[in-house]
């Protein structure tokens, strides 16, 4: 699994997202990697969508990645979760379904969207926060990074009133 096509596709999606955040990704680069979407798994699709959302001319790539992500969805009255492929590369990339859902939430929020997207984002946020339970953290570093980022993205978009709180770290 270490050198699998799935793993390479996810690593490329990660690189594309990093380049897009720095403003160094061109739409042609997204288009070149779009045929790899079926190999990326949910995490790769989410990072590819994030890259597309932050790239001029990335609308077609964003639509393709978003459609693939949403096709994985299972929705109830109050929650929304996306299923993930558990490939042999999962362990090498420190993957988890929760980490992938958190990356997907950030991707959905980056695309802007409509009222339907807002409802899915709220339900996915609920799923993510319930997965943490009463703990003050998620199960591993990857989940902590991607889930914290997703919740910040959600708060930036939907929580207009700043919270008055005091935080202490030791």
């Amino acid at each position: 699994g270490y050198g699998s096509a799935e793993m390479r596709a996810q690593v490329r999606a990660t690189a594309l997202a990093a380049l897009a955040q720095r403003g160094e990704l061109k739409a042609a680069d997204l288009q070149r990697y779009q045929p790899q979407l079926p190999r990326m798994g949910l995490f790769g699709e989410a990072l590819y969508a994030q890259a597309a959302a932050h790239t001029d001319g990335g609308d077609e790539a964003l639509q393709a990645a978003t459609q693939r992500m949403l096709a994985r969805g299972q929705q109830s009255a109050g929650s929304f979760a996306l299923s993930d492929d558990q490939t042999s590369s999962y362990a090498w990339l420190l993957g988890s379904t929760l980490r992938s859902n958190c990356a997907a939430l950030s991707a959905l929020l980056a695309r802007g969207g409509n009222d339907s997207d807002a409802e899915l984002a709220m339900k996915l946020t609920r799923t993510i926060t319930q997965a943490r339970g009463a703990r003050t953290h998620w199960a591993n570093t990857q989940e902590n990074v991607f889930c914290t980022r997703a919740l910040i993205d959600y708060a930036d978009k939907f929580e207009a009133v700043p919270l008055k709180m005091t935080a202490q770290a030791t």
Side-chain angles (χ1 to χ4, degrees):
Y2 181 70
S4 70
E6 292 82 8
M7 184 175 179
R8 287 191 307 272
Q10 282 198 18
V11 169
R12 287 182 179 125
T14 304
L16 293 173
L19 289 169
Q21 284 179 355
R22 297 176 55 106
E24 297 177 6
L25 186 64
K26 294 178 177 50
D29 296 323
L30 282 170
Q31 292 166 353
R32 192 171 84 220
Y33 287 108
Q34 191 168 337
Q36 299 298 314
L37 266 172
R39 291 189 173 132
M40 290 182 185
L42 176 59
F43 184 67
E45 291 167 1
L47 291 181
Y48 183 85
Q50 288 179 37
H54 294 101
T55 302
D56 289 335
D59 295 340
E60 180 184 322
L62 175 59
Q63 184 66 23
T66 302
Q67 284 178 347
R68 290 191 61 81
M69 285 190 318
L70 294 180
R72 299 168 175 273
Q74 298 173 358
Q75 187 172 182
S76 72
S79 66
F80 179 65
L82 301 164
S83 62
D84 201 359
D85 305 330
Q86 301 262 348
T87 66
S88 58
S89 62
Y90 230 61
W92 287 104
L93 295 173
L94 304 175
S96 73
T97 299
L98 183 58
R99 178 196 69 170
S100 297
N101 274 264
C102 292
L105 175 59
S106 288
L108 287 174
L109 295 169
R111 95 178 192 139
N114 53 34
D115 289 342
S116 175
D117 285 349
E119 181 181 350
L120 290 178
M122 183 217 31
K123 289 180 175 184
L124 187 51
T125 299
R126 182 177 293 130
T127 300
I128 290 165
T129 56
Q130 287 176 346
R132 190 178 77 184
R135 295 173 297 169
T136 58
H137 59 282
W138 285 276
N140 60 52
T141 304
Q142 292 279 318
E143 288 178 5
N144 279 311
V145 169
F146 284 93
C147 294
T148 300
R149 175 78 261 160
L151 294 179
I152 290 168
D153 293 341
Y154 183 85
D156 286 348
K157 185 159 186 141
F158 294 110
E159 304 292 334
V161 179
L163 294 175
K164 292 185 180 193
M165 63 181 277
T166 303
Q168 182 179 17
T170 54

